[in-house]
Amino acid sequence: MAQINRILVGVEALEGSSHDAFDKAKELAKENNATLIIAFVMDKNGYASLERMDPHGFRRLKKQAETRLKGYKEMAEESGLKDVETVLEVGIPKKEMENLCEKYNVDMIVVGETGTSKVDRIFLGNTAKAIQKKAKCDVKVISTKEAVRE
């Protein structure tokens, strides 16, 4: 296996979701003495209705996401990682993670599997699978404890 120098982990900054992907990415970063890049992509389309009801809602959520990312960075540093970065992007998560892979020259992306049902994945798609297919680096999909089992 090639040396892993830069790991990009996708996190859910606004929800109290499982930290399985984050924990695995920290572990891999420690094992490889790699840089850990913690990323959250806000899907602006998902917040369009909020924006209509509250013109400042998206900006407020973005500020919350920045605060959560700062918390993730602190947790990573407390676990002994020395080279930790955070990034917050607005766009389509599966596309932006691909772009971040190239922009930050990462060797591996770590993402969590969603907790949606099989029917939801058929209609909505699966972000982790889309990233796996399109990214120009290795992708490790971590199955979360909350994932619905068929």
Side-chain angles (χ1 to χ4, degrees):
M1 184 172 180
Q3 175 65 31
I4 299 172
N5 295 310
R6 298 178 63 77
I7 298 170
L8 173 66
V9 61
V11 296
E12 302 226 3
L14 300 179
E15 300 172 12
S17 62
S18 170
H19 295 288
D20 293 341
F22 176 68
D23 289 341
K24 185 62 175 179
K26 284 191 310 184
E27 180 184 311
L28 289 167
K30 281 183 195 177
E31 288 172 6
N32 292 279
N33 197 27
T35 298
L36 180 64
I37 303 163
I38 307 164
F40 176 63
V41 180
M42 292 184 76
D43 188 345
K44 180 141 178 145
N45 294 332
Y47 300 106
S49 59
L50 171 67
E51 196 72 13
R52 285 190 291 276
M53 294 185 308
D54 178 3
H56 303 291
F58 185 78
R59 189 173 23 235
R60 215 176 359 262
L61 288 174
K62 191 172 181 182
K63 191 71 173 160
Q64 288 175 351
E66 290 167 350
T67 300
R68 291 287 304 267
L69 281 172
K70 183 178 176 188
Y72 277 112
K73 181 176 182 174
E74 289 170 0
M75 285 189 283
E77 291 171 339
E78 287 169 4
S79 75
L81 292 174
K82 304 218 182 319
D83 197 1
V84 182
E85 302 172 26
T86 61
V87 61
L88 175 63
E89 292 287 335
V90 177
I92 300 168
K94 56 189 165 192
K95 185 67 179 161
E96 290 305 319
M97 289 299 283
E98 273 176 57
N99 293 341
L100 291 171
C101 175
E102 291 183 46
K103 180 178 179 180
Y104 287 91
N105 194 30
V106 301
D107 303 300
M108 178 181 282
I109 297 175
V110 179
V111 290
E113 178 181 72
T114 62
T116 58
S117 69
K118 188 173 184 178
V119 173
D120 288 339
R121 288 191 302 268
I122 290 169
F123 289 107
L124 302 174
N126 184 313
T127 300
K129 291 289 182 201
I131 293 168
Q132 245 180 347
K133 285 182 182 178
K134 300 272 186 158
K136 292 183 167 86
C137 64
D138 289 335
V139 178
K140 185 160 190 67
V141 179
I142 306 302
S143 182
T144 62
K145 293 177 182 86
E146 292 84 22
V148 174
R149 304 288 177 211
E150 281 82 34

